[in-house]
Amino acid sequence: MTTQQAKPALQTGQMSAVAIDDNFTDLHPPFSTLQAMAESNRCLYCYDAPCVTACPTSIDIPSFIRKISTGNPDGAAKTILSANIMGGTCARACPTEVLCEQACVRNVAEDEAVEIGSLQRYAVDHLMARNLPHPFKRAAATGKKIAVIGAGPAGLSCAHRAAMLGHDVTVFEAKPKPGGLNEYGLAAYKMTNDFAQREVEFLLGIGGITIEYGKALGRDIALADVKAAFDAVFVGVGLGATNNLGLAGEAASGVDDAIDFIEELRQASDKSTMPVGNSVVVIGGGNTAIDAAVQAKRLGADEVTLVYRRGPEHMSATEFEQELAKINGVIVRYWAKPVEIKANGRLMGMVFEKTALDDSGKLVGTGETFEIKTDQVLKAIGQKIKTDDLAGMEISGGKIVVDHTYQTTAPGIFAGGDCIKSGEDLTVQSVEDGKCAAIAMDAFLKTA
């Protein structure tokens, strides 16, 4: 067994407030007008553009880029927002490198895609900064009432489209602020200047949407009561529970869920007061693990080690995110699984067993172990749905079952976002789910 040493004690003030603020500026600085014009002119405006097919919300990418190139960024923004009302967040946080930009035909000719995400952000930010009237109008009032449970990307997208279609929408949100993952779950350097809340304010400009906070399904509201009071219901509760390691000592001080660490940091008014370990271990291979690891390092942790049970090619985090971790000084150790938490009143270390794939492709332990001395462990090993008050809806594989119209097995109740299996677990997919579900609900109400 090999041992890595580290200083003990979780603490604040590892770095100055100024240094930390510098570490949490925009990961991708916005384009200037000159940069946007130059980049938009690289687009070939393809017919049947593959970038559009690669976008879960099917934004007409060549069209909006052409509008930027001709000096019409507001028109570009309206093209984007008509397909994806949360296009501002998606431009910042969407893994464009594996979606639209990966499909860009410029990759073949020049090995460098058009920077679609940056152009999208330029257009949407330009429109929002002008404080113009909301770009979309509501249809004539239908007299129908829709309930949306969860003010995350899926719920807000559904609420906006339903309001556009003339319905009155009430959103029930468990937390004190709207936005879901956009507000609480994305790295602070991806969502600077309180953009998540500014985007929600913009979205609500359509009118016809009321949000009630502190209303959690199963705790404060019952699904049966909501269904009785509304003509249709959309469930966009996300994945509110986290997976456990199943090891003794998991409740020790210093062992936390990465999503809670990210949320606390996002809500901190002064990031220099955020406690962080000297030696931090992050367990997981997804974007949440990367976000937690990079932010721990940027808060001043001496050493951050990300441990993943398989190889880099198996990680759900994109290549860009994996490289981001490394350039921020995160140590990445592959092919290792946690087997023991060492704690004696406080966290002291973790023991890992090296892993490999056997002849059948099954992941197995090799019997060889190593220990990392650590004072903070952040678990990013996946989330699962809270089944509180989901009676009447079929759950399969840890997700709510829906049909092609996003309707659950409970008539009149629809669902979307991370709580269903419709595609990638991404903000952009949740936005698409909410939009499509609202359109399906509108059709349902017209025939009910």
Side-chain angles (χ1 to χ4, degrees):
M1 177 184 289
T2 58
T3 302
Q4 295 182 359
Q5 300 294 328
K7 296 180 296 182
L10 206 65
Q11 57 184 297
T12 60
Q14 305 271 54
M15 300 174 66
S16 71
V18 172
I20 288 177
D21 283 345
D22 287 344
N23 283 345
F24 286 90
T25 55
D26 244 324
L27 181 62
H28 301 291
F31 271 171
S32 67
T33 297
L34 184 62
Q35 288 173 313
M37 291 295 288
E39 188 64 18
S40 65
N41 283 314
R42 292 186 60 240
C43 182
L44 299 176
Y45 312 116
C46 307
Y47 180 74
D48 285 340
C51 57
V52 176
T53 304
C55 174
T57 55
S58 300
I59 293 171
D60 188 343
I61 294 169
S63 177
F64 94 70
I65 293 180
R66 183 178 288 278
K67 287 173 182 174
I68 292 175
S69 71
T70 57
N72 183 16
D74 289 346
K78 189 166 184 179
T79 296
I80 294 162
L81 297 169
S82 64
N84 181 347
I85 193 59
M86 307 192 86
T89 286
C90 291
R92 288 164 166 80
C94 201
T96 54
E97 68 275 9
V98 297
L99 295 172
C100 56
E101 291 178 15
Q102 185 181 61
C104 178
V105 298
R106 280 287 190 188
N107 286 313
V108 178
E110 301 177 2
D111 197 32
E112 187 174 343
V114 174
E115 293 187 48
I116 297 168
S118 294
L119 289 171
Q120 179 169 312
R121 175 176 175 175
Y122 170 78
V124 175
D125 285 5
H126 184 278
L127 177 68
M128 289 179 60
R130 297 185 63 201
N131 294 314
L132 298 171
H134 195 74
F136 306 107
K137 302 296 184 184
R138 296 189 68 194
T142 64
K144 300 291 187 180
K145 298 188 301 178
I146 288 177
V148 172
I149 301 175
L156 290 170
S157 175
C158 179
H160 183 271
R161 185 62 56 145
M164 273 185 67
L165 293 168
H167 307 302
D168 291 324
V169 183
T170 300
V171 182
F172 298 100
E173 169 55 40
K175 292 184 179 292
K177 295 166 71 175
L181 176 72
N182 298 354
E183 173 61 35
Y184 295 100
L186 295 174
Y189 48 72
K190 294 178 180 176
M191 296 290 283
T192 60
N193 300 318
D194 205 26
F195 181 78
Q197 292 308 303
R198 291 193 289 118
E199 184 174 56
V200 172
E201 183 180 357
F202 169 78
L203 180 151
L204 295 177
I206 187 70
I209 304 171
T210 301
I211 304 180
E212 296 187 15
Y213 301 102
K215 297 292 180 68
L217 184 65
R219 184 192 71 192
D220 308 294
I221 55 173
L223 189 58
D225 294 340
V226 174
K227 180 64 178 71
F230 290 84
D231 297 296
V233 179
F234 176 81
V235 176
V237 294
L239 300 175
T242 54
N243 293 324
N244 291 321
L245 297 169
L247 299 176
E250 196 163 351
S253 176
V255 181
D256 301 297
D257 288 318
I259 197 73
D260 292 337
F261 172 79
I262 293 169
E263 177 177 334
E264 185 179 353
L265 180 57
R266 277 291 301 273
Q267 300 307 307
S269 57
D270 180 358
K271 292 180 178 60
S272 66
T273 64
M274 180 75 180
V276 67
N278 286 299
S279 178
V280 181
V281 171
V282 180
I283 304 171
N287 287 343
T288 297
I290 300 290
D291 281 356
V294 171
Q295 290 186 110
K297 191 66 178 173
R298 292 189 178 198
L299 283 171
D302 286 344
E303 184 173 281
V304 178
T305 305
L306 189 151
V307 185
Y308 179 55
R309 60 181 179 160
R310 296 177 183 269
E313 69 276 15
H314 302 109
M315 293 179 75
S316 60
T318 65
E319 288 186 19
F320 171 81
E321 294 287 340
Q322 293 183 48
E323 187 62 25
L324 180 66
K326 293 173 183 177
I327 64 175
N328 275 272
V330 175
I331 300 165
V332 183
R333 299 199 65 167
Y334 305 106
W335 300 108
K337 66 177 182 179
V339 293
E340 184 183 354
I341 296 171
K342 290 198 167 185
N344 183 15
R346 64 176 176 81
L347 179 65
M348 299 171 64
M350 285 206 67
V351 178
F352 294 87
E353 180 182 11
K354 292 186 178 181
T355 59
L357 297 178
D358 65 14
D359 292 340
S360 66
K362 181 181 178 181
L363 188 72
V364 296
T366 65
E368 183 180 357
T369 63
F370 63 91
E371 180 181 345
I372 302 178
K373 297 295 186 182
T374 177
D375 48 23
Q376 186 174 26
V377 169
L378 299 173
K379 301 176 293 179
I381 54 174
Q383 294 174 268
K384 56 188 177 182
I385 193 169
K386 284 185 178 178
T387 56
D388 300 2
D389 203 21
L390 294 179
M393 283 182 272
E394 182 183 349
I395 309 293
S396 177
K399 303 270 187 165
I400 298 172
V401 175
V402 297
D403 64 16
H404 68 284
T405 69
Y406 290 86
Q407 188 165 197
T408 71
T409 51
I413 300 179
F414 297 73
D418 289 350
C419 64
I420 72 167
K421 186 169 182 61
S422 59
E424 300 287 343
D425 287 338
L426 299 170
T427 296
V428 66
Q429 183 64 58
S430 293
V431 173
E432 178 70 0
D433 290 350
K435 177 183 72 178
C436 293
I439 294 169
M441 293 165 82
D442 178 64
F444 169 83
L445 292 173
K446 287 176 179 176
T447 58

